[in-house]
Amino acid sequence: MPYTRLLPVFLSLLWANCVVAQLAYPARDDSEFMANVLTRLAKRADPLANIYLNKQRAEGMSSIMDQPMSMGKRINMGVRIAQERIRAGDTRAGIADLERILAIVEDGQVPATDGFIFMLHDQLGIAWLRLGEQENCLENHTTDSCLLPIQGNGIHTLEEGSRRAIEHYEINLKKRPNHLGTRWLLNLAYMTLGEHPDGVPEPWRLPAEIFDGDEEIERFEDVAASVGVAAVGLAGGSAVEDFDGDGLMDIVVSSWGLFDPLRYFHNGGDGTFSDRTEQAGLGGQIGGLNLEQADYDNDGDIDLLVLRGAWMGEEGRIPNSLLRNEGDGTFVDVTRQSGLFTGHPSNSAAFADYDNDGWLDLFVGNESGRQPHPCQLFRSRGDGTFVDVAPALGLDHVGFVKGVTWGDVDNDGLIDLYVSQFYQDNVLYKNAGEVQGTWRFTRSTPMPGPDQSFPTWFWDYDNDGWLDLFVGGYNMDELGDMARAYLGEAFEADHARMYRNLGEGRFKEVTDTIGQVDRIILAMGANYGDIDNDGFPDCYVGTGIPDLRSLTPNRMLRNAGGTRFVDVTTAGGFGNVQKGHAVSFADFDNDGDQDVFEVMGGAYEGDLYQNVLYENPGNGNRWLRLYPEGVQSNRGSVGGRVRVRVLDEDGATRDIHHLIGSGGSFGANPLSPQLGLGRATELEFVEITWPATQEVQRWRGLAFNRAYRLREGEALASEVELPRMRFRRADHAEHAH
């Protein structure tokens, strides 16, 4: 029997052994136990079933090349080996393989179609372009690297990769001059050499003005390398939070390679971060595509959840990890003792108190493919443990789930759930409350969304007191759609959607009228924050698909007064063309404006890139940071609602609304809300609707540009002193790379 057919049997045995092990290991050894489980699963991963184990796949295919086979099969196998080597990062070896095959074909030693020859040049083009990125953007990284339009220090000093890529793209364009995907990559290659647009042959030139954007803002600079958070890795998650209670935001990031470590970057307050992964007890926590955080046990410390197995099918039966924060900068794995030890491919999860008992529950979105993997709703028992109640509540959803988010869409005091998924309509589960002693959810699909729907969140983008919905699309079948999204032409790729809440949970799609949202394609990681402190939330979308040719800028959309969104990608310096994943908005230097952190890197083993941290240059607008503390509600007040009323310069009053939580479904913001207040002249009041009781509590007399702790039931707000810092600049760093 082939190994792949034995895999389900092996996994069943493994999980049985794990259950037995739970009886044998004391609780303090759970971290070691989880590390052992994850390592065993990673070592036993099957490259036949897991298409992202590129090095092993190349080695396996190469081992059968000495077997008798026809020349045609040998050529096809050679192409596949070359592709796997390029995906694995062994780029020059893959290029050499493809060049040998091209020479054989061009010499007439084997018949080949025009399409096959086009494919060879296309593959060689992206391989050479990728080599140029590796040698310049990675090995000789600057703050301008890979930012579209590429200019300044982003221009490649080692030119071989881009020059050779141009040769292959121009060969193909002479045969297919209207192939827009090839034109896009050709223009990008010329741009890396500083020769766009004038150096691009006129028939294939794309105009420089397509990258101009809608308006100017001050440029954000990537300071990740100089402050110590530019970890190189693959697709992964980010969770930003003050994990040790020192008033400074720390960062935890994952990279989804099976052996890739979780990394904890501690904010030292001196303008730099230090890697404290081992000291924090996180050694052995490997893999993980996404992260989420919450104070699940109501002890005042923010805990972590690591999600694993997404995109891997049955190979993704890898346990998630719940990591309890001990309050001293260390974490302990409590997955088994909490009741969360399961094995499903999981891409997204979200905490909320669905039954308003003051304890956070957890919904986990699992991916169903050939085998069903129902989603799970873990209800908190109130003692740090959970029980799955999804079947009883009708939330054992089966689908290829890519995003989940909670929000009270009809303002009835009961939090509702939205599920974003591939190949089926997205689903809104409305919380019907307790009916005859049993909690109930009703299913509806008022907003089907893209065919391949990915990141999602609830937010009040227009500040009318009703939660609106963002949904990102992911699929792209035609490479030219990357250019069409910028050229203003019609395209077939799935694009993002925006749904405005008309009141009482009735939604209307406003994508076509809100501006720019319908230009966002290939959305992966994404989140929202307020980059200009005007009180209207903006959003940043990481883009890309595993295909190495998908080089399209990550996009920043600024919310212009709650009526439209404008593209500030180029002006703000956000247009990195590498794969963008988890996004977090946070004020890392406590200067009152939100910076933007993003995990970069693709799915294939060699599609590595370093994470970025864009420093906010500042603005003159006012701000407020809040630390809500629930008493009857969950300690972090997740799911609660903030309303701030201010008096503007023109004498008019306006309200600013915020949903307490971590933001988007792929990337996590701090749970403490930071609100922009624009040019307000007076702060009339701050109001919180506490999630468990729905009681509304109001504070007056608070000042601008301050941080306050607001405790449920207490009339007085206590000011929080935030330590200030300045980011270490690259020109003062000993190791800027």
Side-chain angles (χ1 to χ4, degrees), residues 642-655:
V642 176
R643 179 168 69 130
V644 177
R645 178 164 293 175
V646 296
L647 185 69
D648 280 339
E649 289 179 310
D650 60 2
T653 60
R654 69 176 174 118
D655 289 347

Side-chain angles (χ1 to χ4, degrees), residues 24-34 333 336:
Y25 281 73
R28 67 177 180 274
D29 290 333
D30 270 11
S31 295
E32 180 183 353
F33 167 78
M34 182 63 80
D333 193 305
R336 291 188 303 166

Side-chain angles (χ1 to χ4, degrees), residues 312-367:
M312 298 179 188
E314 292 307 297
E315 283 279 296
R317 289 170 54 89
I318 306 172
N320 303 323
S321 289
L322 180 62
L323 305 171
R324 186 181 67 210
N325 188 338
E326 299 295 270
D328 58 358
T330 66
F331 295 83
V332 173
D333 193 305
V334 294
T335 312
R336 291 188 303 166
Q337 57 184 282
S338 68
L340 298 184
F341 189 84
T342 62
H344 301 284
S346 306
N347 192 97
S348 186
F351 288 93
D353 182 6
Y354 80 86
D355 54 0
N356 291 340
D357 66 352
W359 293 88
L360 286 177
D361 313 299
L362 174 66
F363 184 86
V364 180
N366 296 323
E367 294 178 353

Side-chain angles (χ1 to χ4, degrees), residues 424-469:
Q424 296 173 286
D425 285 346
N426 296 342
V427 179
L428 175 66
Y429 287 98
K430 298 190 76 171
N431 191 335
E434 195 171 13
V435 180
Q436 296 180 344
T438 302
W439 225 264
R440 296 293 183 190
F441 285 80
T442 60
R443 173 175 175 145
S444 62
T445 56
M447 303 144 310
D451 179 59
Q452 293 187 23
S453 179
F454 204 160
T456 186
W457 61 73
F458 286 114
W459 61 343
D460 190 353
Y461 77 84
D462 54 0
N463 281 325
D464 66 352
W466 297 91
L467 289 178
D468 312 301
L469 179 68

Side-chain angles (χ1 to χ4, degrees), residues 500-520:
R500 182 170 180 264
N501 193 330
L502 302 179
E504 300 180 356
R506 296 175 295 111
F507 289 87
K508 176 184 179 181
E509 183 174 352
V510 294
T511 309
D512 293 341
T513 60
I514 201 76
Q516 291 299 332
V517 173
D518 60 351
R519 298 283 104 187
I520 300 296

Side-chain angles (χ1 to χ4, degrees), residues 256-536:
W256 91 313
L258 294 178
F259 289 98
D260 292 352
L262 200 67
R263 303 186 71 172
Y264 171 42
F265 294 99
H266 176 259
N267 190 335
D270 60 354
T272 67
F273 293 74
S274 59
D275 189 334
R276 291 195 182 175
T277 305
E278 293 298 326
Q279 298 94 314
L282 297 175
Q285 293 288 339
I286 53 178
L289 183 61
N290 201 358
L291 302 174
E292 187 60 76
Q293 86 264 35
D295 184 1
Y296 82 95
D297 53 1
N298 282 343
D299 67 351
D301 304 312
I302 306 300
D303 313 294
L304 269 172
L305 179 72
V306 185
L307 296 159
R308 300 187 176 95
W311 299 111
M312 298 179 188
E314 292 307 297
E315 283 279 296
R317 289 170 54 89
I318 306 172
N320 303 323
S321 289
L322 180 62
L323 305 171
R324 186 181 67 210
N325 188 338
E326 299 295 270
D328 58 358
T330 66
F331 295 83
V332 173
D333 193 305
V334 294
T335 312
R336 291 188 303 166
Q337 57 184 282
S338 68
L340 298 184
F341 189 84
T342 62
H344 301 284
S346 306
N347 192 97
S348 186
F351 288 93
D353 182 6
Y354 80 86
D355 54 0
N356 291 340
D357 66 352
W359 293 88
L360 286 177
D361 313 299
L362 174 66
F363 184 86
V364 180
N366 296 323
E367 294 178 353
S368 293
R370 293 183 178 179
Q371 299 293 328
H373 291 277
C375 295
Q376 298 155 293
L377 176 62
F378 293 100
R379 182 181 64 82
S380 174
R381 293 189 175 102
D383 59 0
T385 67
F386 297 85
V387 59
D388 185 5
V389 297
L393 275 63
L395 289 180
D396 52 340
H397 179 96
V398 175
F400 199 81
V401 176
K402 300 306 298 179
V404 297
T405 185
W406 292 94
D408 182 0
V409 300
D410 48 8
N411 289 349
D412 65 351
L414 301 170
I415 200 159
D416 310 298
L417 176 71
Y418 187 76
V419 178
S420 171
Q421 60 185 347
F422 278 11
Y423 316 124
Q424 296 173 286
D425 285 346
N426 296 342
V427 179
L428 175 66
Y429 287 98
K430 298 190 76 171
N431 191 335
E434 195 171 13
V435 180
Q436 296 180 344
T438 302
W439 225 264
R440 296 293 183 190
F441 285 80
T442 60
R443 173 175 175 145
S444 62
T445 56
M447 303 144 310
D451 179 59
Q452 293 187 23
S453 179
F454 204 160
T456 186
W457 61 73
F458 286 114
W459 61 343
D460 190 353
Y461 77 84
D462 54 0
N463 281 325
D464 66 352
W466 297 91
L467 289 178
D468 312 301
L469 179 68
F470 175 94
V471 186
Y474 183 72
N475 181 53
M476 182 182 71
D477 293 326
E478 213 289 294
L479 201 63
D481 283 346
M482 294 188 298
R484 294 184 185 97
Y486 267 92
L487 290 167
E489 299 178 2
F491 56 83
E492 297 298 322
D494 282 337
H495 59 77
R497 306 286 204 276
M498 188 79 82
Y499 300 94
R500 182 170 180 264
N501 193 330
L502 302 179
E504 300 180 356
R506 296 175 295 111
F507 289 87
K508 176 184 179 181
E509 183 174 352
V510 294
T511 309
D512 293 341
T513 60
I514 201 76
Q516 291 299 332
V517 173
D518 60 351
R519 298 283 104 187
I520 300 296
I521 64 173
L522 302 184
M524 293 190 296
N527 214 326
Y528 65 92
D530 187 357
I531 60 171
D532 53 2
N533 279 347
D534 67 348
F536 292 95

Side-chain angles (χ1 to χ4, degrees), residues 166-185:
I166 287 171
E167 292 175 9
H168 291 284
Y169 289 138
E170 291 190 348
I171 288 171
N172 273 354
L173 283 169
K174 288 175 182 177
K175 298 176 182 178
R176 302 183 187 179
N178 296 321
H179 196 273
L180 193 52
T182 303
R183 288 179 60 195
W184 174 267
L185 294 172

